[in-house]
Amino acid sequence: MRGNHHFWGRQDYREPPPMPVERRELVALCDVSLVTGTKTWWRVNVAGVLLGYVSTRAAGQVYRAPDGDGWMFAAGDWNRTDPQHGHAILSLLDAAAHA
């Protein structure tokens, strides 16, 4: 069939707006490092205190508390200029503030 070279898929995708500067500054305050022995777990420390863990996977960004049993969903879509794991870090900060 002629014309089967066309890409059939979602052509109306709009990238979400970038994270506001104030939120980026909160993410920048965190020290994020890869957990030894893992490929997708990142440790989040603030002033030397472990807040929890974040990860970015195919299904989106997730976070978990240090003593948590499972991962919590943070975001499924984000702007490509946002900080790495940015939405998961913000969700972890919000969860820690309400704990």
Side-chain angles (χ1 to χ4, degrees), residues 13-73:
Y13 173 74
R14 293 193 191 279
E15 191 173 29
M19 189 182 290
V21 173
E22 300 83 24
R23 304 292 276 175
R24 287 175 180 269
E25 290 172 352
L26 285 174
V27 172
L29 294 174
C30 300
D31 178 34
V32 182
S33 59
L34 186 64
V35 175
T36 305
T38 69
K39 294 182 180 181
T40 61
W41 286 40
W42 295 80
R43 177 183 298 109
V44 179
N45 292 320
V46 174
V49 177
L50 176 65
L51 279 184
Y53 305 96
V54 296
S55 183
T56 299
R57 301 175 180 169
Q61 295 184 18
V62 292
Y63 70 96
R64 90 186 274 167
D67 57 352
D69 291 333
W71 293 95
M72 304 295 293
F73 180 77

CSV table of all heavy atoms in Angstrom, one decimal, residues 13-73:
chain,number,residue,atom,x,y,z
A,13,TYR,N,0.8,16.5,20.4
A,13,TYR,CA,1.5,16.6,21.7
A,13,TYR,C,2.0,18.0,22.0
A,13,TYR,O,2.6,18.7,21.1
A,13,TYR,CB,2.6,15.7,21.8
A,13,TYR,CG,3.4,15.8,23.1
A,13,TYR,CD1,2.9,15.4,24.3
A,13,TYR,CD2,4.7,16.5,23.1
A,13,TYR,CE1,3.6,15.6,25.5
A,13,TYR,CE2,5.4,16.6,24.2
A,13,TYR,CZ,4.9,16.2,25.4
A,13,TYR,OH,5.6,16.4,26.6
A,14,ARG,N,1.7,18.5,23.1
A,14,ARG,CA,2.2,19.8,23.6
A,14,ARG,C,3.0,19.6,24.9
A,14,ARG,O,2.4,19.1,25.8
A,14,ARG,CB,1.1,20.8,23.8
A,14,ARG,CG,0.4,21.2,22.5
A,14,ARG,CD,-0.5,22.4,22.8
A,14,ARG,NE,-1.4,22.7,21.6
A,14,ARG,CZ,-1.0,23.3,20.5
A,14,ARG,NH1,0.2,23.7,20.4
A,14,ARG,NH2,-1.9,23.5,19.6
A,15,GLU,N,4.2,20.0,24.9
A,15,GLU,CA,5.0,19.9,26.1
A,15,GLU,C,4.5,20.8,27.2
A,15,GLU,O,4.1,21.9,26.9
A,15,GLU,CB,6.5,20.2,25.7
A,15,GLU,CG,7.5,19.9,26.8
A,15,GLU,CD,8.9,20.1,26.3
A,15,GLU,OE1,9.1,21.0,25.4
A,15,GLU,OE2,9.7,19.4,26.7
A,16,PRO,N,4.5,20.3,28.4
A,16,PRO,CA,4.0,21.1,29.5
A,16,PRO,C,4.9,22.3,29.7
A,16,PRO,O,6.1,22.3,29.3
A,16,PRO,CB,4.1,20.2,30.7
A,16,PRO,CG,4.3,18.9,30.2
A,16,PRO,CD,4.8,18.9,28.8
A,17,PRO,N,4.4,23.4,30.3
A,17,PRO,CA,5.3,24.6,30.5
A,17,PRO,C,6.4,24.2,31.5
A,17,PRO,O,6.3,23.3,32.3
A,17,PRO,CB,4.4,25.6,31.1
A,17,PRO,CG,3.2,24.8,31.6
A,17,PRO,CD,3.1,23.6,30.8
A,18,PRO,N,7.6,24.9,31.4
A,18,PRO,CA,8.7,24.6,32.3
A,18,PRO,C,8.3,24.9,33.8
A,18,PRO,O,7.4,25.7,34.1
A,18,PRO,CB,9.8,25.6,31.8
A,18,PRO,CG,9.3,26.3,30.6
A,18,PRO,CD,7.8,26.0,30.4
A,19,MET,N,9.0,24.3,34.6
A,19,MET,CA,8.9,24.5,36.1
A,19,MET,C,9.2,25.9,36.4
A,19,MET,O,10.2,26.5,35.9
A,19,MET,CB,9.8,23.5,36.8
A,19,MET,CG,9.6,23.4,38.2
A,19,MET,SD,10.9,22.2,38.9
A,19,MET,CE,10.3,20.7,38.3
A,20,PRO,N,8.4,26.6,37.3
A,20,PRO,CA,8.7,27.9,37.7
A,20,PRO,C,10.1,28.0,38.4
A,20,PRO,O,10.6,27.1,39.0
A,20,PRO,CB,7.6,28.3,38.7
A,20,PRO,CG,6.5,27.3,38.4
A,20,PRO,CD,7.2,26.1,37.9
A,21,VAL,N,10.7,29.2,38.3
A,21,VAL,CA,12.0,29.4,38.9
A,21,VAL,C,12.0,29.1,40.4
A,21,VAL,O,13.0,28.5,40.9
A,21,VAL,CB,12.4,30.9,38.6
A,21,VAL,CG1,13.7,31.2,39.3
A,21,VAL,CG2,12.5,31.2,37.1
A,22,GLU,N,11.0,29.5,41.1
A,22,GLU,CA,11.0,29.2,42.6
A,22,GLU,C,11.1,27.7,42.8
A,22,GLU,O,11.7,27.3,43.8
A,22,GLU,CB,9.7,29.8,43.2
A,22,GLU,CG,9.5,31.2,43.0
A,22,GLU,CD,8.9,31.6,41.7
A,22,GLU,OE1,8.2,30.8,41.0
A,22,GLU,OE2,9.1,32.7,41.2
A,23,ARG,N,10.4,26.9,42.1
A,23,ARG,CA,10.4,25.4,42.2
A,23,ARG,C,11.8,24.9,41.8
A,23,ARG,O,12.3,24.0,42.5
A,23,ARG,CB,9.3,24.8,41.4
A,23,ARG,CG,7.9,25.3,41.7
A,23,ARG,CD,7.4,24.9,43.1
A,23,ARG,NE,6.8,23.6,43.1
A,23,ARG,CZ,6.4,23.0,44.1
A,23,ARG,NH1,6.5,23.5,45.3
A,23,ARG,NH2,5.9,21.7,44.0
A,24,ARG,N,12.4,25.4,40.8
A,24,ARG,CA,13.7,25.0,40.4
A,24,ARG,C,14.7,25.3,41.5
A,24,ARG,O,15.7,24.5,41.7
A,24,ARG,CB,14.1,25.8,39.1
A,24,ARG,CG,13.5,25.3,37.9
A,24,ARG,CD,13.9,26.2,36.7
A,24,ARG,NE,13.2,25.8,35.5
A,24,ARG,CZ,13.7,24.9,34.6
A,24,ARG,NH1,14.9,24.4,34.8
A,24,ARG,NH2,13.1,24.6,33.5
A,25,GLU,N,14.6,26.4,42.2
A,25,GLU,CA,15.5,26.8,43.2
A,25,GLU,C,15.4,25.8,44.4
A,25,GLU,O,16.4,25.4,45.0
A,25,GLU,CB,15.3,28.2,43.7
A,25,GLU,CG,15.7,29.2,42.7
A,25,GLU,CD,15.3,30.6,43.0
A,25,GLU,OE1,14.5,30.8,44.0
A,25,GLU,OE2,15.7,31.6,42.3
A,26,LEU,N,14.2,25.3,44.7
A,26,LEU,CA,14.0,24.3,45.7
A,26,LEU,C,14.7,23.0,45.4
A,26,LEU,O,15.3,22.4,46.2
A,26,LEU,CB,12.5,24.0,46.0
A,26,LEU,CG,11.7,25.1,46.7
A,26,LEU,CD1,10.2,24.7,46.7
A,26,LEU,CD2,12.2,25.2,48.1
A,27,VAL,N,14.6,22.6,44.1
A,27,VAL,CA,15.2,21.4,43.6
A,27,VAL,C,16.7,21.5,43.7
A,27,VAL,O,17.5,20.6,44.1
A,27,VAL,CB,14.8,21.0,42.2
A,27,VAL,CG1,15.6,19.9,41.6
A,27,VAL,CG2,13.3,20.7,42.2
A,28,ALA,N,17.2,22.7,43.4
A,28,ALA,CA,18.7,23.0,43.4
A,28,ALA,C,19.3,22.9,44.9
A,28,ALA,O,20.5,22.6,45.0
A,28,ALA,CB,19.0,24.4,42.8
A,29,LEU,N,18.5,23.1,45.9
A,29,LEU,CA,18.9,23.0,47.3
A,29,LEU,C,19.2,21.5,47.7
A,29,LEU,O,19.9,21.3,48.7
A,29,LEU,CB,17.9,23.6,48.2
A,29,LEU,CG,17.6,25.1,48.1
A,29,LEU,CD1,16.5,25.5,49.0
A,29,LEU,CD2,18.9,25.8,48.5
A,30,CYS,N,18.7,20.6,46.9
A,30,CYS,CA,18.9,19.2,47.3
A,30,CYS,C,20.1,18.6,46.6
A,30,CYS,O,20.5,19.0,45.5
A,30,CYS,CB,17.7,18.4,46.7
A,30,CYS,SG,16.1,18.9,47.4
A,31,ASP,N,20.7,17.7,47.4
A,31,ASP,CA,21.9,16.9,46.9
A,31,ASP,C,21.4,15.6,46.4
A,31,ASP,O,20.9,14.8,47.2
A,31,ASP,CB,22.9,16.8,48.0
A,31,ASP,CG,24.1,16.0,47.6
A,31,ASP,OD1,24.5,16.1,46.4
A,31,ASP,OD2,24.6,15.2,48.4
A,32,VAL,N,21.5,15.3,45.1
A,32,VAL,CA,20.9,14.1,44.5
A,32,VAL,C,22.1,13.3,44.0
A,32,VAL,O,22.9,13.7,43.3
A,32,VAL,CB,20.0,14.5,43.4
A,32,VAL,CG1,19.4,13.2,42.8
A,32,VAL,CG2,18.9,15.4,43.8
A,33,SER,N,22.1,12.0,44.5
A,33,SER,CA,23.2,11.1,44.1
A,33,SER,C,22.6,9.7,43.9
A,33,SER,O,21.7,9.3,44.5
A,33,SER,CB,24.3,11.1,45.1
A,33,SER,OG,23.8,10.6,46.4
A,34,LEU,N,23.3,9.0,42.9
A,34,LEU,CA,22.8,7.6,42.6
A,34,LEU,C,23.1,6.7,43.8
A,34,LEU,O,24.2,6.7,44.4
A,34,LEU,CB,23.6,7.1,41.4
A,34,LEU,CG,23.2,5.8,40.8
A,34,LEU,CD1,21.7,5.8,40.3
A,34,LEU,CD2,24.1,5.4,39.7
A,35,VAL,N,22.1,5.8,44.1
A,35,VAL,CA,22.3,4.9,45.2
A,35,VAL,C,23.2,3.8,44.7
A,35,VAL,O,23.0,3.2,43.6
A,35,VAL,CB,20.9,4.3,45.7
A,35,VAL,CG1,21.1,3.2,46.7
A,35,VAL,CG2,20.0,5.4,46.2
A,36,THR,N,24.3,3.4,45.5
A,36,THR,CA,25.2,2.4,45.1
A,36,THR,C,24.6,1.1,44.9
A,36,THR,O,23.7,0.6,45.7
A,36,THR,CB,26.3,2.3,46.2
A,36,THR,OG1,26.9,3.6,46.4
A,36,THR,CG2,27.4,1.3,45.8
A,37,GLY,N,24.9,0.5,43.8
A,37,GLY,CA,24.3,-0.9,43.4
A,37,GLY,C,23.0,-0.8,42.7
A,37,GLY,O,22.4,-1.9,42.4
A,38,THR,N,22.5,0.4,42.4
A,38,THR,CA,21.3,0.5,41.6
A,38,THR,C,21.5,1.3,40.4
A,38,THR,O,22.6,1.9,40.2
A,38,THR,CB,20.2,1.2,42.4
A,38,THR,OG1,20.5,2.6,42.6
A,38,THR,CG2,20.0,0.6,43.8
A,39,LYS,N,20.5,1.2,39.5
A,39,LYS,CA,20.6,2.0,38.2
A,39,LYS,C,19.6,3.1,38.1
A,39,LYS,O,19.8,4.0,37.3
A,39,LYS,CB,20.5,1.0,37.0
A,39,LYS,CG,21.6,0.0,36.9
A,39,LYS,CD,21.3,-0.9,35.7
A,39,LYS,CE,22.4,-1.9,35.6
A,39,LYS,NZ,22.3,-2.8,34.5
A,40,THR,N,18.6,3.0,38.9
A,40,THR,CA,17.5,4.0,38.8
A,40,THR,C,17.1,4.7,40.1
A,40,THR,O,16.3,5.5,40.1
A,40,THR,CB,16.2,3.4,38.2
A,40,THR,OG1,15.8,2.3,39.0
A,40,THR,CG2,16.5,2.8,36.8
A,41,TRP,N,17.7,4.3,41.2
A,41,TRP,CA,17.4,4.9,42.5
A,41,TRP,C,18.3,6.1,42.8
A,41,TRP,O,19.5,5.9,42.7
A,41,TRP,CB,17.5,3.9,43.6
A,41,TRP,CG,16.4,2.9,43.7
A,41,TRP,CD1,15.8,2.2,42.7
A,41,TRP,CD2,15.9,2.4,44.9
A,41,TRP,NE1,14.9,1.3,43.2
A,41,TRP,CE2,14.9,1.4,44.5
A,41,TRP,CE3,16.1,2.6,46.2
A,41,TRP,CZ2,14.2,0.7,45.5
A,41,TRP,CZ3,15.3,1.9,47.2
A,41,TRP,CH2,14.4,1.0,46.8
A,42,TRP,N,17.8,7.2,43.1
A,42,TRP,CA,18.6,8.4,43.4
A,42,TRP,C,18.3,8.8,44.8
A,42,TRP,O,17.1,9.0,45.2
A,42,TRP,CB,18.3,9.5,42.4
A,42,TRP,CG,18.8,9.2,41.0
A,42,TRP,CD1,18.1,8.4,40.1
A,42,TRP,CD2,20.0,9.5,40.4
A,42,TRP,NE1,18.8,8.2,39.0
A,42,TRP,CE2,20.0,8.9,39.1
A,42,TRP,CE3,21.1,10.3,40.8
A,42,TRP,CZ2,21.0,9.1,38.2
A,42,TRP,CZ3,22.1,10.4,39.9
A,42,TRP,CH2,22.1,9.8,38.6
A,43,ARG,N,19.3,9.0,45.6
A,43,ARG,CA,19.1,9.5,47.0
A,43,ARG,C,19.0,11.0,47.0
A,43,ARG,O,19.8,11.7,46.3
A,43,ARG,CB,20.4,9.1,47.8
A,43,ARG,CG,20.4,9.5,49.2
A,43,ARG,CD,21.7,9.1,49.9
A,43,ARG,NE,21.9,7.7,49.9
A,43,ARG,CZ,22.8,7.0,49.2
A,43,ARG,NH1,23.6,7.6,48.3
A,43,ARG,NH2,22.9,5.7,49.3
A,44,VAL,N,18.1,11.5,47.8
A,44,VAL,CA,17.9,13.0,47.9
A,44,VAL,C,18.2,13.4,49.4
A,44,VAL,O,17.5,12.9,50.3
A,44,VAL,CB,16.4,13.4,47.6
A,44,VAL,CG1,16.3,14.9,47.7
A,44,VAL,CG2,16.1,12.9,46.2
A,45,ASN,N,19.2,14.2,49.5
A,45,ASN,CA,19.6,14.8,50.8
A,45,ASN,C,19.4,16.3,50.8
A,45,ASN,O,19.7,16.9,49.8
A,45,ASN,CB,21.1,14.5,51.1
A,45,ASN,CG,21.3,13.0,51.4
A,45,ASN,OD1,20.5,12.3,52.0
A,45,ASN,ND2,22.5,12.5,50.8
A,46,VAL,N,19.0,16.8,52.0
A,46,VAL,CA,19.0,18.2,52.2
A,46,VAL,C,19.7,18.5,53.5
A,46,VAL,O,19.4,18.0,54.5
A,46,VAL,CB,17.5,18.8,52.3
A,46,VAL,CG1,17.5,20.2,52.6
A,46,VAL,CG2,16.8,18.5,51.0
A,47,ALA,N,20.8,19.3,53.4
A,47,ALA,CA,21.6,19.7,54.5
A,47,ALA,C,22.1,18.4,55.2
A,47,ALA,O,22.1,18.3,56.5
A,47,ALA,CB,20.8,20.6,55.5
A,48,GLY,N,22.5,17.4,54.5
A,48,GLY,CA,23.0,16.2,55.0
A,48,GLY,C,22.0,15.2,55.6
A,48,GLY,O,22.4,14.1,56.1
A,49,VAL,N,20.7,15.5,55.5
A,49,VAL,CA,19.7,14.6,56.0
A,49,VAL,C,19.0,13.9,54.8
A,49,VAL,O,18.6,14.6,53.9
A,49,VAL,CB,18.6,15.5,56.8
A,49,VAL,CG1,17.5,14.6,57.3
A,49,VAL,CG2,19.3,16.2,58.0
A,50,LEU,N,18.9,12.6,54.9
A,50,LEU,CA,18.2,11.8,53.9
A,50,LEU,C,16.7,12.1,53.9
A,50,LEU,O,16.0,11.8,54.9
A,50,LEU,CB,18.5,10.3,54.1
A,50,LEU,CG,17.8,9.4,53.1
A,50,LEU,CD1,18.3,9.6,51.7
A,50,LEU,CD2,18.0,8.0,53.5
A,51,LEU,N,16.2,12.6,52.8
A,51,LEU,CA,14.7,12.8,52.7
A,51,LEU,C,14.0,11.6,52.1
A,51,LEU,O,12.9,11.3,52.4
A,51,LEU,CB,14.4,14.0,51.8
A,51,LEU,CG,14.5,15.4,52.4
A,51,LEU,CD1,14.1,16.4,51.4
A,51,LEU,CD2,13.7,15.5,53.6
A,52,GLY,N,14.7,10.9,51.1
A,52,GLY,CA,14.1,9.8,50.5
A,52,GLY,C,14.8,9.5,49.2
A,52,GLY,O,15.9,9.9,49.0
A,53,TYR,N,14.0,8.9,48.3
A,53,TYR,CA,14.6,8.4,47.0
A,53,TYR,C,13.7,8.8,45.9
A,53,TYR,O,12.4,9.0,46.1
A,53,TYR,CB,14.7,6.9,47.0
A,53,TYR,CG,15.6,6.4,48.2
A,53,TYR,CD1,15.0,5.9,49.3
A,53,TYR,CD2,17.0,6.4,48.1
A,53,TYR,CE1,15.7,5.5,50.4
A,53,TYR,CE2,17.7,6.0,49.1
A,53,TYR,CZ,17.1,5.5,50.3
A,53,TYR,OH,17.9,5.1,51.3
A,54,VAL,N,14.2,9.1,44.7
A,54,VAL,CA,13.5,9.4,43.5
A,54,VAL,C,14.0,8.5,42.4
A,54,VAL,O,15.1,8.0,42.4
A,54,VAL,CB,13.6,10.9,43.1
A,54,VAL,CG1,13.0,11.8,44.2
A,54,VAL,CG2,15.0,11.3,42.9
A,55,SER,N,13.1,8.4,41.3
A,55,SER,CA,13.5,7.7,40.1
A,55,SER,C,12.6,8.2,39.0
A,55,SER,O,11.5,8.6,39.2
A,55,SER,CB,13.2,6.2,40.4
A,55,SER,OG,13.6,5.4,39.3
A,56,THR,N,13.2,8.2,37.8
A,56,THR,CA,12.5,8.5,36.6
A,56,THR,C,12.5,7.3,35.7
A,56,THR,O,13.6,6.7,35.4
A,56,THR,CB,13.2,9.7,35.8
A,56,THR,OG1,13.1,10.8,36.7
A,56,THR,CG2,12.4,10.0,34.6
A,57,ARG,N,11.3,6.8,35.4
A,57,ARG,CA,11.2,5.5,34.6
A,57,ARG,C,10.3,5.8,33.4
A,57,ARG,O,9.8,6.9,33.2
A,57,ARG,CB,10.6,4.5,35.5
A,57,ARG,CG,11.5,4.2,36.7
A,57,ARG,CD,10.9,3.2,37.7
A,57,ARG,NE,11.8,3.0,38.8
A,57,ARG,CZ,11.5,2.4,39.9
A,57,ARG,NH1,10.3,1.9,40.0
A,57,ARG,NH2,12.4,2.3,40.9
A,58,ALA,N,10.0,4.8,32.7
A,58,ALA,CA,9.2,4.9,31.5
A,58,ALA,C,7.8,5.4,31.8
A,58,ALA,O,7.1,6.1,31.1
A,58,ALA,CB,9.1,3.6,30.7
A,59,ALA,N,7.3,5.0,33.0
A,59,ALA,CA,5.9,5.4,33.4
A,59,ALA,C,5.9,6.8,34.0
A,59,ALA,O,4.8,7.3,34.3
A,59,ALA,CB,5.4,4.4,34.4
A,60,GLY,N,7.0,7.4,34.3
A,60,GLY,CA,7.0,8.7,34.9
A,60,GLY,C,8.0,8.8,36.1
A,60,GLY,O,8.9,8.0,36.3
A,61,GLN,N,7.9,9.9,36.8
A,61,GLN,CA,8.7,10.2,37.9
A,61,GLN,C,8.0,9.7,39.2
A,61,GLN,O,6.8,9.9,39.4
A,61,GLN,CB,9.0,11.7,38.0
A,61,GLN,CG,9.9,12.2,36.9
A,61,GLN,CD,10.2,13.6,37.1
A,61,GLN,OE1,10.2,14.2,38.1
A,61,GLN,NE2,10.6,14.3,36.0
A,62,VAL,N,8.8,9.0,40.1
A,62,VAL,CA,8.3,8.5,41.3
A,62,VAL,C,9.2,8.8,42.5
A,62,VAL,O,10.4,9.2,42.3
A,62,VAL,CB,8.1,6.9,41.2
A,62,VAL,CG1,7.0,6.6,40.3
A,62,VAL,CG2,9.4,6.2,40.8
A,63,TYR,N,8.7,8.8,43.7
A,63,TYR,CA,9.5,9.0,44.9
A,63,TYR,C,9.1,8.1,46.0
A,63,TYR,O,8.0,7.5,46.0
A,63,TYR,CB,9.3,10.5,45.3
A,63,TYR,CG,7.9,10.8,45.9
A,63,TYR,CD1,7.7,10.7,47.3
A,63,TYR,CD2,6.9,11.1,45.1
A,63,TYR,CE1,6.4,11.0,47.8
A,63,TYR,CE2,5.6,11.4,45.6
A,63,TYR,CZ,5.4,11.3,46.9
A,63,TYR,OH,4.1,11.6,47.4
A,64,ARG,N,9.9,7.9,47.0
A,64,ARG,CA,9.6,7.1,48.2
A,64,ARG,C,10.3,7.6,49.4
A,64,ARG,O,11.5,8.1,49.3
A,64,ARG,CB,9.9,5.6,47.9
A,64,ARG,CG,11.2,5.1,48.2
A,64,ARG,CD,11.4,3.7,47.8
A,64,ARG,NE,11.0,2.8,48.8
A,64,ARG,CZ,10.8,1.5,48.6
A,64,ARG,NH1,11.1,1.0,47.4
A,64,ARG,NH2,10.4,0.7,49.5
A,65,ALA,N,9.7,7.5,50.5
A,65,ALA,CA,10.3,7.9,51.8
A,65,ALA,C,11.4,6.9,52.2
A,65,ALA,O,11.3,5.8,51.7
A,65,ALA,CB,9.3,8.1,52.9
A,66,PRO,N,12.3,7.3,53.0
A,66,PRO,CA,13.4,6.3,53.4
A,66,PRO,C,12.8,5.0,54.0
A,66,PRO,O,13.3,3.9,53.8
A,66,PRO,CB,14.2,7.0,54.4
A,66,PRO,CG,13.9,8.5,54.3
A,66,PRO,CD,12.5,8.5,53.6
A,67,ASP,N,11.7,5.1,54.8
A,67,ASP,CA,11.1,4.0,55.4
A,67,ASP,C,9.8,3.5,54.7
A,67,ASP,O,9.1,2.7,55.2
A,67,ASP,CB,10.8,4.3,56.9
A,67,ASP,CG,9.9,5.5,57.0
A,67,ASP,OD1,9.6,6.2,56.0
A,67,ASP,OD2,9.4,5.8,58.1
A,68,GLY,N,9.6,4.0,53.5
A,68,GLY,CA,8.4,3.7,52.7
A,68,GLY,C,8.4,2.3,52.1
A,68,GLY,O,9.5,1.7,51.9
A,69,ASP,N,7.2,1.7,51.9
A,69,ASP,CA,7.1,0.4,51.4
A,69,ASP,C,7.0,0.4,49.9
A,69,ASP,O,7.3,-0.6,49.2
A,69,ASP,CB,5.8,-0.3,51.9
A,69,ASP,CG,6.0,-0.6,53.4
A,69,ASP,OD1,7.1,-0.8,53.9
A,69,ASP,OD2,4.9,-0.7,54.1
A,70,GLY,N,6.7,1.5,49.3
A,70,GLY,CA,6.5,1.5,47.8
A,70,GLY,C,6.7,2.9,47.2
A,70,GLY,O,6.9,3.9,48.0
A,71,TRP,N,6.7,2.9,45.9
A,71,TRP,CA,6.9,4.2,45.2
A,71,TRP,C,5.6,4.9,45.0
A,71,TRP,O,4.6,4.3,44.8
A,71,TRP,CB,7.5,3.9,43.8
A,71,TRP,CG,8.9,3.3,43.9
A,71,TRP,CD1,9.3,2.0,43.9
A,71,TRP,CD2,10.1,4.1,44.0
A,71,TRP,NE1,10.7,1.9,44.0
A,71,TRP,CE2,11.2,3.2,44.1
A,71,TRP,CE3,10.4,5.5,44.1
A,71,TRP,CZ2,12.5,3.6,44.2
A,71,TRP,CZ3,11.7,5.8,44.2
A,71,TRP,CH2,12.8,4.9,44.3
A,72,MET,N,5.7,6.2,45.1
A,72,MET,CA,4.5,7.1,44.9
A,72,MET,C,4.7,7.9,43.6
A,72,MET,O,5.8,8.3,43.3
A,72,MET,CB,4.4,8.1,46.1
A,72,MET,CG,4.3,7.4,47.4
A,72,MET,SD,2.8,6.5,47.7
A,72,MET,CE,1.6,7.7,47.6
A,73,PHE,N,3.6,8.0,42.8
A,73,PHE,CA,3.7,8.7,41.6
A,73,PHE,C,3.8,10.2,41.8
A,73,PHE,O,3.1,10.7,42.6
A,73,PHE,CB,2.4,8.3,40.8
A,73,PHE,CG,2.3,9.0,39.4
A,73,PHE,CD1,3.1,8.5,38.4
A,73,PHE,CD2,1.6,10.1,39.2
A,73,PHE,CE1,3.0,9.1,37.1
A,73,PHE,CE2,1.5,10.7,38.0
A,73,PHE,CZ,2.2,10.2,36.9
